[in-house]
Amino acid sequence: MANTRSAKKMVRKIARRTEINTARRSRMRRFIRKVEEAIASGDKSAAQTALQVAQPEIMRAAGKGVLHKNTSSRKISRLSARIKAMG
């Protein structure tokens, strides 16, 4: 357990930040899941619109430090490739 005042404050800050980051991560995953469900259903136009909505959320997660920038770009790239392959 933390002993000093500064260490106790850091424990509080980290707990708050973890809660915020968890919410951001689950929000991003929800948007990704919508895209994947649209791909699975075979509806290309719905998948494209879902990706257009999900893309800013994924990039926002990268900007806030939840994901690495390259990870977010890779996710977007792979989703768009799957949509393009639907034909």
Side-chain angles (χ1 to χ4, degrees):
M1 187 58 207
N3 292 329
T4 61
R5 286 177 61 194
S6 61
K8 289 177 183 175
K9 181 177 180 178
M10 283 306 297
V11 168
R12 292 193 306 268
K13 282 173 64 175
I14 289 167
R16 207 163 37 237
R17 205 176 315 132
T18 301
E19 192 176 325
I20 292 166
N21 286 343
T22 305
R24 285 182 180 142
R25 188 177 295 115
S26 63
R27 178 178 165 86
M28 178 199 65
R29 286 177 178 162
R30 216 171 315 145
F31 279 93
I32 291 173
R33 196 174 306 120
K34 286 178 185 175
V35 177
E36 289 175 341
E37 286 171 358
I39 291 170
S41 70
D43 190 358
K44 187 172 183 175
S45 62
Q48 284 175 331
T49 56
L51 180 63
Q52 286 176 345
V53 174
Q55 190 169 347
E57 280 299 322
I58 297 170
M59 293 310 290
R60 188 173 297 119
K64 298 293 184 180
V66 175
L67 286 180
H68 192 274
K69 192 177 75 162
N70 292 353
T71 305
S72 63
S73 295
R74 184 181 69 239
K75 284 183 183 296
I76 292 168
S77 175
R78 287 182 180 172
L79 285 172
S80 59
R82 283 170 63 190
I83 293 170
K84 189 176 180 183
M86 287 172 75

